């Protein structure tokens, strides 16, 4: 249990997928203008990563590895992730059309979100078992959720600040993200 807790905390805070591994930046920067849409995207990514981690772990352990088809893992993982994203997109469109419209193209971009594929490949690389893979996926997803909500809150407040013209828009977002990465680096002493 202690090992699983360390994996979760390490994935969420110490090795934050966005702020230390720099994966998933497209949706992180693109959807983080408002807290409401950032939260929706964050929970969509949490759902996709949680399910994708479980599915890819089972497929790798019980299909690809026994049949010596490990070289197909990237292609198979992408197909699994794409199918899951289509499912999430249909559910959000049906139950929350406003969120679906707010997320726009970024919802479909979860398919190519390298954070989702990155967690599946990391689990294989580190040879995690099923439970550890799922906990690692949940930790990475929680870290993504925390990071995107924090940056959205900061961006909402910065909207009304007097920012020099050359820093308006993306430059100030990237500077803020860099400062957040430095702050999250302070968690490295936890593990």
């Amino acid at each position: 249990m202690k090992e699983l807790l360390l994996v979760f905390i390490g994935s969420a805070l110490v090795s934050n997928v966005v702020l230390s591994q720099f994966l998933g930046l497209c949706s992180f920067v693109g959807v983080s203008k408002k807290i409401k849409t950032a939260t929706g995207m964050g929970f969509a990514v949490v759902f996709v990563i949680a399910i994708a981690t479980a599915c890819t772990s089972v497929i790798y352990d019980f299909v690809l590895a026994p049949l010596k088809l490990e070289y197909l893992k990237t292609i198979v993982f992408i197909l699994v992730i794409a199918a899951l994203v289509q499912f999430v997109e249909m559910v959000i469109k049906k139950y929350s059309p406003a969120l679906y419209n707010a997320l726009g193209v970024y919802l479909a971009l979860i398919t190519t979100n390298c954070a989702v594929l990155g967690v599946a490949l990391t689990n294989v690389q580190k040879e995690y078992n099923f439970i550890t893979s799922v906990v690692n996926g949940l930790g990475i997803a929680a870290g993504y959720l925390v990071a995107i909500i924090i940056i959205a809150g900061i961006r909402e407040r910065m909207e009304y600040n007097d920012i020099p013209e050359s820093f308006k828009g993306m430059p100030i977002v990237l500077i803020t993200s860099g400062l957040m990465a430095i702050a999250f680096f302070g968690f490295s002493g936890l593990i």
Side-chain angles (χ1 to χ4, degrees), residues 83-94:
L84 288 170
V85 170
Q86 291 302 310
F87 174 72
V88 169
E89 191 171 355
M90 288 186 303
V91 169
I92 290 176
K93 187 175 184 178
K94 180 174 177 136

Side-chain angles (χ1 to χ4, degrees), residues 34-101:
K34 301 287 178 200
I35 291 178
K36 186 176 180 181
T37 56
T39 304
M41 176 59 109
F43 280 113
V45 169
V46 167
F47 180 76
V48 170
I49 286 180
I51 302 300
T53 302
C55 292
T56 56
S57 180
V58 168
I59 290 170
Y60 185 81
D61 291 341
F62 295 107
V63 177
L64 297 178
L67 296 175
K68 306 285 187 223
L69 298 172
E70 292 95 347
Y71 59 91
L72 293 174
K73 68 181 174 255
T74 304
I75 295 169
V76 171
F77 292 174
I78 289 172
L79 292 174
V80 168
I81 291 164
L84 288 170
V85 170
Q86 291 302 310
F87 174 72
V88 169
E89 191 171 355
M90 288 186 303
V91 169
I92 290 176
K93 187 175 184 178
K94 180 174 177 136
Y95 293 107
S96 182
L99 179 60
Y100 178 79
N101 291 331

